Amino acid sequence: VGILLAAGLMPVKKVLCRWGVPSLGASAICLVGGVTLVVGVLTLIVAQVVEQSGELANQTVAGITQFSEWLTRSRIGVSQDQLIEWEYQGIAWLTDWASRSQALIAQYSLQAGGYIGNFLTGAAMALFALFFFLHDGRNLWTFALRFVPRAGRPRADQAGLAGWHALTEYVKATVIVAAVDAFFPLIAALIMGVPLAWALGGLIFMGAFIPIVGVVLTGAVAVFVTLVTLGPIHALVMLGIIILVNQLEGNILQPMLLGRAVSLHPLAVLLSIAVGISVANIIGGLMVVPILAFSKAFADVLDEDVPTPPHGASDPDDPDGPDDLARVDSDRVDAATGEKDGGDPD
């Protein structure tokens, strides 16, 4: 998570450094700004849910009542007495299940407390790592290259640069795609007067970072809220917008924004997400595609006959060049002779 955040915030750090902000200060600004943005989105979602929970509950009850009345008037043949009987049966079943599952509920409550503690610990570690990836990424990469044999360091360096470029392009494209995924449903929800419109937009934006399944799940929440509050016609409109946005993302935005930097086969993406979710749940689904993008770009450069710098890479001493990954200078050797390359004095 720290590496993904660093890939997304590194362009911001570069801009700050070009404006004269020291590396330490730029890294701190990126860290604080990123945390503020995420906390702000989560606060917006929670605040809107709390503020409109009463209205949403009333509209949900009204929607269920209207649906019940429609059932009694339709040709399905459901009477009011049957609906009341089903309601009592449902309440009795829930009450019986709760009384029989008290120990299980208590166990899940304890597990939830442990999960929350693990999440907070992991978040603190990710933020700690993020700061040093931003501030000291060059030295970390240089140290990592010491584990590569000297003759292979130039090629490994180029492969790392290509992988990092693919990773940053993936993160940037994902942010843009997530913004588009959230924008159109948000506008539709505001026009139709859907409760929790801003919260639903923020939820779709955050869900879009999980490939394929994220937009589907968060979009389903938006459609359900629209259904129970405004009725089936508005829900169909919201569903149509979600489908159109999904098609726009898959057929236009992602190919246009990612291009050749992250060219992954759709089947590879689908299977990798399935493996990631089965191994590490939602976090696995989030992490597996960028890992796959980095690995593919890394392997492509290793497979080349002649190592060439990836798009956007330049000399490490160039102040306008990328500073996110290190280039090996002092230990650079000729791959054929094994002798140190002193470099062109020019």
Side-chain angles (χ1 to χ4, degrees):
V1 171
I3 290 176
L4 287 179
L5 294 175
L9 292 174
M10 189 63 72
V12 180
K13 184 205 169 186
K14 289 182 181 181
V15 172
L16 293 175
C17 290
R18 291 193 183 102
W19 289 351
V21 180
S23 176
L24 182 65
S27 301
I29 291 173
C30 290
L31 176 64
V32 174
V35 171
T36 303
L37 177 63
V38 174
V39 172
V41 173
L42 293 176
T43 302
L44 172 66
I45 294 175
V46 174
Q48 258 216 317
V49 170
V50 172
E51 179 183 357
Q52 300 188 15
S53 58
E55 178 185 356
L56 181 62
N58 294 334
Q59 291 181 340
T60 301
V61 171
I64 294 175
T65 302
Q66 291 178 358
F67 180 72
S68 301
E69 293 176 353
W70 176 82
L71 279 178
T72 58
R73 294 194 306 264
S74 66
R75 298 180 180 180
I76 299 178
V78 179
S79 65
Q80 190 69 30
D81 293 337
Q82 287 178 310
L83 291 176
I84 295 175
E85 182 181 355
W86 292 346
E87 180 181 351
Y88 280 120
Q89 288 177 351
I91 295 175
W93 181 85
L94 287 175
T95 304
D96 180 64
W97 177 85
S99 63
R100 289 185 291 101
S101 307
Q102 290 181 355
L104 186 62
I105 294 174
Q107 178 183 353
Y108 285 158
S109 300
L110 292 175
Q111 289 180 352
Y115 291 150
I116 293 174
N118 290 338
F119 173 80
L120 294 177
T121 303
M125 293 177 64
L127 294 177
F128 186 81
L130 168 62
F131 175 79
F132 286 103
F133 288 148
L134 290 172
H135 175 57
D136 211 21
R138 177 186 295 275
N139 292 330
L140 292 173
W141 176 244
T142 302
F143 176 79
L145 285 174
R146 293 181 182 178
F147 293 90
V148 179
R150 286 182 178 271
R153 287 180 189 175
R155 179 67 68 91
D157 183 32
Q158 295 291 344
L161 283 170
W164 180 256
H165 173 69
L167 190 61
T168 54
E169 290 299 313
Y170 170 83
V171 174
K172 288 190 293 186
T174 302
V175 171
I176 296 174
V177 170
V180 174
D181 286 342
F183 176 76
F184 291 104
L186 172 62
I187 296 300
L190 291 174
I191 292 175
M192 293 187 295
V194 178
L196 309 176
W198 288 100
L200 292 173
L203 185 65
I204 294 174
F205 174 78
M206 300 184 69
F209 287 91
I210 303 175
I212 298 179
V213 297
V215 175
V216 174
L217 294 178
T218 54
V221 173
V223 173
F224 175 76
V225 172
T226 306
L227 174 64
V228 299
T229 55
L230 300 181
I233 302 300
H234 294 82
L236 287 175
V237 173
M238 179 63 72
L239 177 62
I241 292 174
I242 296 292
I243 293 175
L244 288 176
V245 168
N246 208 1
Q247 293 299 313
L248 175 66
E249 169 194 340
N251 297 320
I252 298 177
L253 290 179
Q254 284 190 349
M256 181 179 67
L257 293 174
L258 295 180
R260 295 183 178 180
V262 190
S263 53
L264 299 174
H265 195 280
L267 181 60
V269 174
L270 181 63
L271 294 179
S272 64
I273 290 175
V275 172
I277 291 178
S278 64
V279 171
N281 301 320
I282 297 298
I283 295 297
L286 173 67
M287 300 285 288
V288 68
V289 175
I291 290 175
L292 192 65
F294 178 91
S295 302
K296 182 180 182 300
F298 191 93
D300 285 345
V301 173
L302 291 183
D303 191 50
E304 291 177 356
D305 293 333
V306 179
T308 55
H311 178 70
S314 59
D315 190 271
D317 297 326
D318 180 6
D320 294 327
D323 60 355
D324 39 84
L325 287 176
R327 305 293 300 277
V328 180
D329 298 318
S330 59
D331 292 332
R332 190 179 297 279
V333 296
D334 183 80
T337 64
E339 298 177 353
K340 272 197 173 184
D341 180 11
D344 190 342
D346 294 333

